[in-house]
Amino acid sequence: MNYYILTLFPDMVMDGLNTSIIGRAKEKGLLSIEAVNIRDFTENKHNRVDDYPYGGGAGMVMQAQPVYDAYRHVEEKIGKKPRVIYMTPQGKTFNQSMAEEFAKEEELVFLCGHYEGIDERVLEEVVTDYVSIGDYVLTGGELPAMVMIDAISRLLEDVLHNDTSAEFETFHDNLLEYPQYSRPETWNGKKVPEVLLSGHHANIEKWRREQSIMRTVEWRPDLIENAVLSKKEKQFLDKYLEERKKDLH
Ligand code: ADE
């Protein structure tokens, strides 16, 4: 995977992505990240990349020309039209399925805006995907691009040590992950659930799935409708919901 980030703050993204697992994956050659400074492409003698909005209003707008030239620089390097993701709170909300989908690409270009946005004409020309990381407004697209790169990269082959760990985790089957415990067996007067000490793998698996189901109902009820459940698990869910209803009354 080769990532290109079109930004006014290349240091911010490179510093953030050079550490930890993503930094190590970069060193191992599993992925590459290049931050392209949009300001390097300005034709303005004062190096400006923004101007007042036509029609008036607050703030400044990033101009089309430097953004387009920065994009063309990347497109020429790649040798084909890449997928270009514009980070904007107006976009489709990023989720795990989108991360899986983007992880299949060989190149991804992230376009990070600042100020009040980017001239619409260049967005129409280059952007293939409009993506938000949630319903709140940030000062720029750099943090959202970093969030997406982190979520996508950990799905790439060999980036995580344990190749099954991305499979059995939160959002798999549209369920939250079950609770985890490690040593000691008793901490602060609290014991580890008995079943986990039993060594009985089928029972452990059943307990974990049920914990996932209950946790999803309590914390993310919006997900449970689309959870992938066996017939027995569906019965467990129905019973749990039934008893919960009684408790609430
Ligand atoms: N730019 C500003 N806020 C954003 C958000 N929530 N998601 C993506 N890009 C943004």
Side-chain angles (χ1 to χ4, degrees):
M1 172 70 85
N2 299 306
Y3 299 109
Y4 298 86
I5 307 161
L6 309 179
T7 170
L8 290 173
F9 300 96
D11 293 344
M12 178 177 177
V13 283
M14 292 315 283
D15 288 351
L17 294 169
N18 268 331
T19 48
S20 189
I21 293 175
I22 308 305
R24 236 175 297 137
K26 237 178 95 187
E27 273 167 27
K28 280 199 254 169
L30 300 172
L31 53 91
S32 76
I33 306 173
E34 188 183 333
V36 176
N37 192 342
I38 294 170
R39 203 176 296 280
D40 290 346
F41 295 84
T42 177
E43 288 174 351
N44 182 291
K45 65 170 183 273
H46 302 292
N47 272 353
R48 280 187 58 177
V49 291
D50 61 329
D51 209 332
Y52 294 100
Y54 277 121
M60 303 294 271
V61 175
M62 278 169 72
Q63 292 168 285
Q65 175 270 316
V67 172
Y68 187 66
D69 289 355
Y71 161 77
R72 286 284 300 156
H73 167 79
V74 169
E75 189 194 76
E76 271 165 26
K77 203 163 184 172
I78 299 171
K80 63 173 188 222
K81 271 196 190 308
R83 213 150 161 189
V84 180
I85 304 162
Y86 177 45
M87 305 311 312
T88 166
Q90 299 178 18
K92 194 170 162 210
T93 310
F94 187 54
N95 60 26
Q96 193 64 25
S97 323
M98 284 161 81
E100 282 160 21
E101 176 71 31
F102 284 127
K104 294 178 192 153
E105 301 288 332
E106 279 172 25
E107 279 94 19
L108 284 175
V109 179
F110 293 87
L111 174 56
C112 305
H114 262 265
Y115 316 117
E116 290 309 303
I118 301 182
D119 191 307
E120 190 68 20
R121 292 166 296 182
V122 68
L123 298 179
E124 286 168 6
E125 206 64 37
V126 308
V127 173
T128 58
D129 301 85
Y130 293 77
V131 182
S132 165
I133 60 159
D135 288 344
Y136 40 82
V137 182
L138 300 165
T139 54
E142 284 75 14
L143 285 170
M146 289 160 75
V147 165
M148 284 189 64
I149 288 171
D150 192 288
I152 294 164
S153 299
R154 61 189 292 290
L155 300 175
L156 302 176
E157 215 168 298
D158 298 331
V159 169
L160 296 185
H161 288 308
N162 177 352
D163 61 3
T164 58
S165 61
E167 246 172 74
F168 295 98
E169 63 184 6
T170 292
F171 303 127
H172 183 70
D173 285 347
N174 240 23
L175 291 172
L176 300 186
E177 201 184 4
Y178 48 81
Q180 296 276 22
Y181 300 86
S182 185
R183 286 203 276 188
E185 234 178 87
T186 305
W187 177 80
N188 219 14
K190 291 173 171 232
K191 274 195 68 99
V192 170
E194 204 60 48
V195 61
L196 299 178
L197 310 173
S198 69
H200 192 301
H201 293 297
N203 284 355
I204 292 172
E205 176 61 15
K206 178 169 175 280
W207 181 86
R208 285 179 164 169
R209 289 286 294 185
E210 291 177 356
Q211 290 290 317
S212 286
I213 293 167
M214 291 190 286
R215 190 162 269 205
T216 309
V217 168
E218 299 303 333
W219 292 358
R220 288 295 305 275
D222 57 305
L223 293 179
I224 200 76
E225 215 174 297
N226 295 316
V228 182
L229 303 176
S230 70
K231 214 168 156 188
K232 280 215 168 109
E233 288 168 348
K234 184 86 191 45
Q235 286 167 355
F236 172 83
L237 170 64
D238 289 342
K239 207 166 137 231
Y240 181 70
L241 289 173
E242 191 70 24
E243 272 166 27
R244 197 169 167 275
K245 225 194 272 157
K246 274 191 230 150
D247 288 345
L248 290 176
H249 280 298

